[in-house]
Amino acid sequence: LLFFAKVRRESLADLNLGFVRRKTQTGFTYFINNHGEEAFAGRVPLQSGTASAAIFNPMNNTSGLADYNTAKAGSLEVYIRLNPGESVIVKTFNSVAEGKPYLYYNPDAMPAEIPGTWKIAFTEGGPSLPGGSDLTELVSWTEYSDQAAKDFSGTAKYSISFPGPKAKADAWRIDLGEVLESASVTLNGNDMGSLTGPEFQLIIGKKQLKKKNTLEIKVSNLMANRIAYMDRNGIPWKKFYNVNFAARLRQNTRDGVFDASSWQPAESGLIGPVTVTPKKAVRQ
């Protein structure tokens, strides 16, 4: 039926990429996601029959004209890099679009861990806010001696001041390392974006690192620790109407319903290491 309707098959599905395509007045809009476990880099054929394309990254608010060419079959081949779980929006145009290029970056040196002492302050969540502290080593906040930290589900702010790298670069990659479970990043008072994993990296402009810098990372964990706390203390939270809240595992059952009182604290927070890497701009 698609053949007789003259709908061209999107061969990008063969690249283990997921996508949604919508037609617009000026071309097509593609939402493309790498749902594989390996990073993807290469030219992606788009069966849109259009003349040019631009790329938008909604997670870090970057955009630019895509590196593209027209294949013999009439498809538009767009160069894309996607880490596992990463998505971009590709917009195609019936005419040749103009603008600044969408840049990718290769590492120009080895990563360097950000030196210094971190400060952590718990800002939002419960059942109560643990006390803040200074950290010479990043570990799960459930390893703190404070019982309130072991029971806590919510958000903590990590902050550190550090000198800017002496090396020159076209851009810099800040890698948060291991994060449990999501993070939002602020550098020198500027919002750098939100990160949901599985990789917690962002590219920043070469002028965004100063001689002296302040990095703030707000990390939110899952609700597991607070749910376990509530079940251990008999606090009702299963406030649902006409829902069969059965447990999948036998050890999570009490009186025939789900119960998490036996759960051990789930690791939470910024585990790191947090590194900075100089990057060199490239176009394919």
Side-chain angles (χ1 to χ4, degrees), residues 45-61:
L46 305 178
Q47 305 298 330
S48 59
T50 48
S52 61
I55 298 177
F56 302 84
N57 189 322
M59 296 301 291
N60 56 25
N61 199 32

Side-chain angles (χ1 to χ4, degrees), residues 4 13-14 19 25 28 58 60 72 99 126 134 139 150 161 169 176 249 256:
F4 284 109
D14 299 331
F19 74 97
Q25 293 182 347
F28 287 85
N60 56 25
K72 293 181 179 179
D134 294 343
V139 297
K150 302 180 188 297
S161 296
L176 305 188
L249 301 176

Side-chain angles (χ1 to χ4, degrees), residues 142 147 150-153 221-233 237-238 245-254 257-267:
T142 57
Q147 183 61 40
K150 302 180 188 297
D151 297 331
F152 180 77
S153 289
N221 68 339
L222 300 179
M223 274 297 296
N225 294 340
R226 189 172 182 182
I227 286 174
Y229 167 85
M230 290 189 287
D231 277 349
R232 285 194 298 270
N233 290 273
W237 61 272
K238 308 180 188 72
F245 211 105
R248 183 175 63 87
L249 301 176
R250 183 183 298 272
Q251 60 266 32
N252 295 335
T253 301
R254 175 182 290 183
V257 297
F258 175 84
D259 181 86
S261 58
S262 64
W263 285 2
Q264 296 299 309
E267 288 190 319

Side-chain angles (χ1 to χ4, degrees), residues 73-253:
S75 64
L76 193 71
E77 293 185 337
V78 177
Y79 182 82
I80 294 176
R81 291 186 186 180
L82 290 173
N83 290 323
E86 188 177 11
S87 304
V88 291
I89 296 171
V90 178
K91 184 174 178 61
T92 69
F93 303 93
N94 295 324
S95 59
V96 177
E98 297 181 355
K100 295 181 179 180
Y102 188 92
L103 296 176
Y104 294 100
Y105 299 89
N106 289 337
D108 206 25
M110 295 297 293
E113 185 172 355
I114 292 179
T117 299
W118 291 86
K119 294 182 180 295
I120 180 173
F122 294 87
T123 60
E124 184 179 5
S128 61
L129 295 180
S133 60
D134 294 343
L135 306 173
T136 57
E137 180 183 5
L138 292 171
V139 297
S140 169
W141 69 55
T142 57
E143 294 187 22
Y144 301 170
S145 58
D146 187 357
Q147 183 61 40
K150 302 180 188 297
D151 297 331
F152 180 77
S153 289
T155 302
K157 182 176 72 173
Y158 296 79
S159 59
I160 192 171
S161 296
F162 65 99
K166 295 181 180 180
K168 294 183 178 180
D170 294 331
W172 302 92
R173 182 184 70 194
I174 296 180
D175 189 335
L176 305 188
E178 185 178 4
V179 175
L180 301 167
E181 296 291 329
S182 64
S184 60
V185 182
T186 302
L187 178 65
N188 298 326
N190 299 312
D191 182 8
M192 296 289 103
S194 299
L195 304 172
T196 58
E199 295 186 354
F200 295 86
Q201 303 173 355
L202 52 88
I203 301 294
I204 64 173
K206 61 182 179 181
K207 296 182 179 180
Q208 289 180 293
L209 278 183
K210 312 297 183 180
K211 290 184 178 180
K212 294 182 179 180
N213 302 276
T214 299
L215 178 65
E216 295 181 349
I217 305 170
K218 291 183 178 181
V219 178
S220 300
N221 68 339
L222 300 179
M223 274 297 296
N225 294 340
R226 189 172 182 182
I227 286 174
Y229 167 85
M230 290 189 287
D231 277 349
R232 285 194 298 270
N233 290 273
I235 301 173
W237 61 272
K238 308 180 188 72
K239 301 176 183 179
F240 306 100
Y241 174 74
N242 197 26
V243 172
N244 181 13
F245 211 105
R248 183 175 63 87
L249 301 176
R250 183 183 298 272
Q251 60 266 32
N252 295 335
T253 301

Side-chain angles (χ1 to χ4, degrees), residues 23-72:
K23 189 174 183 179
T24 66
Q25 293 182 347
T26 58
F28 287 85
T29 298
Y30 290 79
F31 174 86
I32 302 176
N33 169 258
N34 179 9
H35 48 62
E37 297 181 356
E38 302 291 336
F40 174 85
R43 294 196 173 273
V44 175
L46 305 178
Q47 305 298 330
S48 59
T50 48
S52 61
I55 298 177
F56 302 84
N57 189 322
M59 296 301 291
N60 56 25
N61 199 32
T62 57
S63 61
L65 191 65
D67 183 7
Y68 63 89
N69 57 44
T70 302
K72 293 181 179 179

